Amino acid sequence: MPGTLNYKHLYYFWVIAREGSLVRASELLDLAPQTLSSQLTALEESIGSLLFRREHRRLVLTDLGQTTFRYADEMFRVADELKSVLDSDPADRPLTLSVGVAASIHKLIAYQLLEPAIKLDRQVHISCHTGGLEALLRDLKSRRLDVVLSDRLPESNPENHWGIHTIGQSSISLFAIPELAAQLRDDFPQSMHNQAFLANAIRTPYAHQLMQWFHDQGIRLDVSVEIDDSALLKVFGRNGFGVFAAPTVIRDEVCRQYQVEMIGEVESVTDTLYAISRNQVQAHPAVEAICTQGASKASKANASKKTD
């Protein structure tokens, strides 16, 4: 489309199309019909095509006019919503929070990490996007995201001055269907030798630690299945295909949701979670809530672990 779209002319077109008449639109806009007609002509000339055709003194949208109206209708509906938000008291305005969640994070944990934002005393519109850490960080840098939740630290780069906040930490536990868990629990971890194991194909930091821990114990696992989706991996576990690992902090929910039981806990292997923001100081109230409350919980968990 040559030139720059004149949004005032587009608005006039939208009102005319919505009202179905130049006369009614001119009354609504408090403009003379001739003035409105000239504005519409200017828009059509800038586009290089007609938006209306006349049929028996009626204005009928052309195919391009119908397409243009659909876009304009969405644009001005959103603009009306924005005006309502801007006219409201600042304390009553809803917050918009765009969160990137590393694909390797258990979704049950991701929800727990987002709870401080969800429970703010004001409305929060949250959109979540999962993916690889590098892609999420690019979106964070370009301001398409407000915060990224990750189970690993970003690579060091002097051009990036990320705010890094430790917001969660948990030991790792092993789970299986009740019959298998009962067989393996008493002599754990030696009972795991040659046991069918369901591995997460997304190489999470704790997964590497866990495999090294088994190696140090002289235990060899039979890695029968590798799956890059933590929920699907648990479904395989629920159907008796083998043992799987998950952070202990979501033990009760994992057992309830997938009808499995915990075999044992590996305290020396931990899953550490981070909130990554563009700056250390948070201007976004929801991001601040995630970082500060998450950091407080992580600190209390560490203190409790040292006491134990």
Side-chain angles (χ1 to χ4, degrees), residues 34-61:
Q34 296 81 359
T35 301
L36 199 54
S37 179
S38 66
Q39 301 290 323
L40 175 60
T41 299
L43 176 63
E44 290 178 326
E45 288 177 350
S46 71
I47 294 172
S49 185
L50 293 177
L51 298 172
F52 290 101
R53 65 176 182 273
R54 286 194 176 274
E55 290 185 0
H56 308 295
R57 297 185 179 180
R58 291 177 57 248
L59 287 177
V60 178
L61 287 167

Side-chain angles (χ1 to χ4, degrees), residues 16 32 35 65 133 165 248:
I16 296 168
T35 301
L133 180 57
H165 315 267
T248 308

Side-chain angles (χ1 to χ4, degrees), residues 177-204:
I177 56 174
E179 311 91 89
L180 182 57
Q183 295 173 21
L184 300 176
R185 190 175 293 121
D186 289 343
D187 195 28
F188 180 80
Q190 283 70 29
S191 59
M192 289 291 299
H193 191 67
N194 290 328
Q195 178 61 47
F197 186 75
L198 306 174
N200 195 325
I202 299 177
R203 298 302 181 185
T204 62

Side-chain angles (χ1 to χ4, degrees), residues 119-306:
K119 293 182 177 179
L120 285 176
D121 292 334
R122 58 190 296 186
Q123 187 178 3
V124 183
H125 293 161
I126 300 177
S127 60
C128 293
H129 312 269
T130 60
L133 180 57
E134 291 75 16
L136 294 176
L137 290 176
R138 286 196 296 270
D139 286 345
L140 179 65
K141 188 174 183 178
S142 63
R143 298 185 177 273
R144 286 191 287 269
L145 295 174
D146 298 306
V147 66
V148 170
L149 306 181
S150 174
D151 55 2
R152 71 188 71 197
L153 292 170
E155 293 182 4
S156 179
N157 186 331
E159 294 182 2
N160 297 322
H161 303 283
W162 304 120
I164 309 293
H165 315 267
T166 302
I167 57 173
Q169 195 168 56
S170 172
S171 62
I172 300 301
S173 291
L174 283 298
F175 301 84
I177 56 174
E179 311 91 89
L180 182 57
Q183 295 173 21
L184 300 176
R185 190 175 293 121
D186 289 343
D187 195 28
F188 180 80
Q190 283 70 29
S191 59
M192 289 291 299
H193 191 67
N194 290 328
Q195 178 61 47
F197 186 75
L198 306 174
N200 195 325
I202 299 177
R203 298 302 181 185
T204 62
Y206 81 75
H208 176 76
Q209 294 177 43
L210 183 63
M211 298 307 288
Q212 184 61 48
W213 182 83
F214 276 121
H215 180 270
D216 294 344
Q217 304 297 315
I219 297 169
R220 181 177 180 181
L221 300 175
D222 176 12
V223 180
S224 56
V225 178
E226 286 189 90
I227 301 174
D228 66 358
D229 183 279
S230 63
L232 181 58
L233 186 145
K234 295 178 182 63
V235 172
F236 270 73
R238 180 180 65 192
N239 285 279
F241 282 89
V243 176
F244 65 88
T248 308
V249 69
I250 55 172
R251 171 188 57 199
D252 294 343
E253 186 63 22
V254 168
C255 291
R256 182 195 65 78
Q257 188 168 331
Y258 296 96
Q259 294 91 54
V260 294
E261 293 182 0
M262 191 176 88
I263 300 167
E265 178 183 3
V266 184
E267 293 185 358
S268 60
V269 175
T270 58
D271 183 30
T272 303
L273 301 164
Y274 308 94
I276 306 172
S277 59
R278 282 184 293 274
N279 303 290
Q280 288 289 348
V281 178
Q282 303 308 319
H284 196 303
V287 175
E288 181 182 16
I290 291 171
C291 294
T292 57
Q293 293 187 44
S296 177
K297 289 180 182 178
S299 178
K300 289 178 181 178
N302 281 333
S304 175
K305 190 172 182 179
K306 289 178 180 178

